[in-house]
Amino acid sequence: MLNALTGFPVLREGTLRVAPFSGVPEVLAGFGVRPAAPCREAGIPVKLLSDPENTIAIEQAGRLLDSCVRHTGCMPFGLLLGETVSLDSLGPIGVLSRGARDVGSALTGIVLALHLNDR
């Protein structure tokens, strides 16, 4: 379901945008692991990760990270994934933050609007 005003998906309780996880295939590839098995174990199609506006249940996100750690043997997998995230991963909130007059204003804007990015 899309928000009539913004055109972005309306997030249900317990979900978040998939954008921060869109780097999973890239990070897995660095370990020689294809994303099919970790995604299957998490109960999500690999294709879901290709559109940052798709949504994922928080439980599935946790299962995906756990599965990626098991398949790569890399305990700090989440940190490596975090290196692929930018302000763009926050969607419209990131765009607004980029235009802020200073870092404090950007962070305040993110804190005030983050509930729009995940529930």
Side-chain angles (χ1 to χ4, degrees):
M1 179 166 148
L2 298 180
N3 180 304
L5 181 62
T6 66
F8 290 102
V10 174
L11 296 175
R12 295 183 326 270
E13 190 71 30
T15 64
L16 55 118
R17 291 175 63 250
V18 79
F21 297 91
S22 60
V24 164
E26 174 188 340
V27 177
L28 286 171
F31 289 92
V33 176
R34 294 183 181 187
C39 286
R40 183 177 53 251
E41 290 173 12
I44 62 168
V46 175
K47 216 166 77 170
L48 183 80
L49 301 174
S50 64
D51 182 352
E53 296 305 326
N54 284 335
T55 60
I56 186 172
I58 291 172
E59 293 84 5
Q60 287 177 311
R63 284 195 301 268
L64 177 61
L65 289 176
D66 182 61
S67 182
C68 289
V69 167
R70 282 187 281 105
H71 281 269
T72 62
C74 177
M75 288 299 293
F77 184 89
L79 292 175
L80 296 177
L81 180 60
E83 290 178 348
T84 69
V85 176
S86 68
L87 275 179
D88 295 332
S89 298
L90 294 176
I93 298 168
V95 172
L96 291 173
S97 298
R98 192 180 315 280
R101 63 188 157 137
D102 56 45
V103 174
S105 299
L107 291 173
T108 299
I110 289 171
V111 168
L112 293 176
L114 197 56
H115 70 281
L116 301 172
N117 205 48
D118 57 47
R119 300 278 170 160

